[in-house]
Structure formats: C-alpha cells, structure tokens
Amino acid sequence: MTALRTGVTALAVLLAIVLQAALLPHVGWRGVVPNLCLLVVVAGALTRGAHFGVVLGFCAGLALDLAPPADHLAGRWALALMAVGLVAGLVRRDERPTIPVVLVTAAVASFVGASVFGLLGVVTGDPGVAVTDVLLSVVAGVAGDLAVAPLVLLPLMVLLTRLEPQRRLA
C-alpha cells in the first residue's frame, strides 16, 4: 500500500504542475495563479502528518522550481512548500480534520507559502520582485488557492485516506 500511496501522491504532484503551468496562467491575475502543488502538499500533510508533509513539500517544491517556465532561483518553492507541509502537518493530530479546519488550514498554508516564496525573492535580490509586489501576490495567491481548494483538497484527502493502511488493534 505504501508504493501505491507514493505513486498516487507523485501523480497528483505531476498533474498539479502540468495544470498549473499549462492551464491556469490563462485565468491568473498579474501572473499569480492558484498553486495546485501547494494544495497537494496540504492534502498530504493533513492526511499523513508533518513529516510526510515536509518531505512531500520538498519534492513538490523542487519539481515546481525546475518546471518550465520557472524564472526564479531553484529552491525557493522547495523551501516554501516545506514550510507549508510543516504548518499543515501540525494541524493533523489523531483525529481527521473537519471541512472548516481544512479550509482555514489551506488559507494559512497558502499565506505562509506565498510569503516565504516572495520574501525569499526579496532577500535573494530577484530583479522582478519588490515588497509591494509580494504583498499583492500573497493576497491574490491566497484568494486563488481558496477558490480551488474544495476542488483539490477534499477529493485528494479522501483518496489518500483510503490508501492509508488501517491501524491494527493490539
């Protein structure tokens, strides 16, 4: 079951990157599109915990950093999505989160991810990044992520939960 869960998660990340790069730029605002990879990381972290979320965030972020048309330093999305995986994974305790908790977690994770990504651009001296641009991008990113969150998070969390091995009673 672990190999199947890993394959499904990798496929979800790949599909998110393809949709994010090919389809969503047509509906974006000032180059800001909903971050489907971030939502996949949130779904993984909410179903499996912080450790899984951080590892998934690194892998998904690195893939997003290297996917065309990336125009930034590699590693920015990897670090941002690792923070997202940690934040979302800390929400998961022993019980399954409710829908309002999932949506609030998605909003907070989107804010954290977009902020870390934008601030890393400012700190590293990315020529196309200014502080005012970061603020607008964070607000637009959170709004876009929340708009598509129910379409991505809920089905993916159900799928990943079904692939989770049943806990055996001792």
Side-chain angles (χ1 to χ4, degrees):
M1 195 66 96
T2 303
L4 180 60
R5 186 177 56 234
T6 302
V8 167
T9 307
L11 185 64
V13 169
L14 180 65
L15 183 62
I17 289 173
V18 169
L19 289 175
Q20 190 171 323
L23 182 64
L24 292 181
H26 301 292
V27 297
W29 180 75
R30 291 188 176 187
V32 178
V33 299
N35 194 334
L36 300 180
C37 282
L38 182 138
L39 295 175
V40 170
V41 171
V42 170
L46 284 174
T47 54
R48 298 292 300 150
H51 184 277
F52 184 81
V54 170
V55 172
L56 178 59
F58 175 74
C59 295
L62 192 59
L64 191 58
D65 280 328
L66 300 177
D71 60 349
H72 57 273
L73 291 173
R76 281 175 59 191
W77 273 122
L79 184 60
L81 292 186
M82 285 174 66
V84 164
L86 179 64
V87 167
L90 291 177
V91 170
R92 182 185 187 265
R93 298 291 181 211
D94 292 331
E95 297 182 27
R96 302 282 178 226
T98 61
I99 291 176
V101 171
V102 169
L103 294 177
V104 168
T105 303
V108 170
S110 177
F111 177 79
V112 167
S115 297
V116 169
F117 180 78
L119 291 175
L120 282 173
V122 171
V123 169
T124 59
D126 194 342
V129 178
V131 175
T132 55
D133 295 336
V134 170
L135 295 174
L136 287 174
S137 296
V138 168
V139 171
V142 170
D145 290 348
L146 281 180
V148 298
L151 302 173
V152 176
L153 275 178
L154 301 178
L156 190 56
M157 285 181 67
V158 168
L159 179 62
L160 292 175
T161 301
R162 289 192 181 186
L163 294 175
E164 189 173 318
Q166 298 298 323
R167 293 188 178 123
R168 297 183 187 193
L169 298 174

